Amino acid sequence: MAEQTKKNAPKRSRKKDQQSNQEEWFERVIKINRVMKACKGGKRLGFRALVVVGDLKGQVGIGLGKSAEVPGAIKKAMERAKKNLVTVTTLEGTLAHRVNGRFGSSKVLVNPAPEGTGIIAGGAARIILEAAGVRNAVAKSIGSSNPINSARATLQGLLSLRSEATESKRRGIKLSIRKPVVSEAV
């Protein structure tokens, strides 16, 4: 009886499952570096890829992969980024409050912005904000322009975001979050 149900069951292809799984994620390569390693017979060439993965709904992760070939490095970085996913709190497409992130000598300031502003940021900060699903924010990178440290500083800043519920519980009072005001030119 069990054999008949297996025969009648529709066949599922792995390709379709992989394609549907890939459609859910926003995947972007930030930087590919060529690295050399000194060996006994000479120099050995390798590649390092920094990748951001997000679901555009508040989950984002960064990954670093190394391999002798570029596609291998990107694949390893994607796998590591999906393992290191973190949840970011957003409020109507923007951030609830201003955040500062710091990693190494890189510092990233991310401010909420009114609807219609878009993402005004450069380098790794822009890609991470897009992957997290933030639609309106202004970011500034200060200090080192190293994309790895800048990406980690942005992620560290986004992790320090607090929701209205957790902040009101921490303070012991009821909070009402103000929306950013749009200034109109006369």
Side-chain angles (χ1 to χ4, degrees):
M1 186 92 178
E3 292 175 15
Q4 287 180 346
T5 55
K6 283 184 181 178
K7 288 180 182 178
N8 296 337
K11 291 184 180 180
R12 292 174 41 175
S13 71
R14 286 186 185 175
K15 244 184 193 178
K16 285 185 181 179
D17 288 345
Q18 288 173 352
Q19 287 174 353
S20 66
N21 194 16
Q22 286 177 349
E23 291 172 9
E24 296 174 15
W25 297 104
F26 172 90
E27 301 171 342
R28 186 77 53 91
V29 176
I30 293 179
K31 180 90 173 162
I32 296 176
N33 287 353
R34 193 178 73 167
V35 293
M36 294 279 196
K37 180 181 179 183
C39 295
K40 187 177 175 183
K43 294 179 182 175
R44 183 172 291 173
L45 181 68
F47 295 93
R48 182 175 70 176
L50 177 66
V51 174
V52 171
V53 173
D55 67 350
L56 304 174
K57 297 174 188 168
Q59 281 195 320
V60 66
I62 58 174
L64 195 62
K66 295 185 216 175
S67 178
E69 301 292 328
V70 174
I74 292 173
K75 183 180 176 187
K76 287 179 184 180
M78 293 279 187
E79 290 170 1
R80 289 191 180 118
K82 287 180 183 177
K83 284 182 183 178
N84 298 326
L85 285 174
V86 294
T87 304
V88 175
T89 307
T90 59
L91 177 70
E92 298 174 8
T94 188
L95 307 177
H97 55 86
R98 180 180 301 181
V99 293
N100 298 334
R102 189 175 184 95
F103 189 87
S105 63
S106 291
K107 187 175 180 182
V108 177
L109 312 173
V110 187
N111 296 326
E115 187 67 35
T117 304
I119 298 177
I120 301 173
R126 178 185 197 88
I127 296 171
I128 289 176
L129 290 170
E130 286 176 0
V134 177
R135 294 187 307 272
N136 301 295
V138 179
K140 178 67 182 166
S141 296
I142 300 170
S144 173
S145 60
N146 180 342
I148 296 171
N149 288 348
S150 181
R152 289 184 175 165
T154 305
L155 200 60
Q156 189 267 330
L158 291 177
L159 285 174
S160 68
L161 277 170
R162 294 185 178 159
S163 68
E164 181 182 357
T166 58
E167 190 61 17
S168 62
K169 186 177 179 181
R170 186 183 74 84
R171 293 185 192 182
I173 58 173
K174 187 176 184 295
L175 295 175
S176 60
I177 294 187
R178 296 181 304 174
K179 292 183 182 176
V181 179
V182 179
S183 61
E184 296 179 19
V186 178

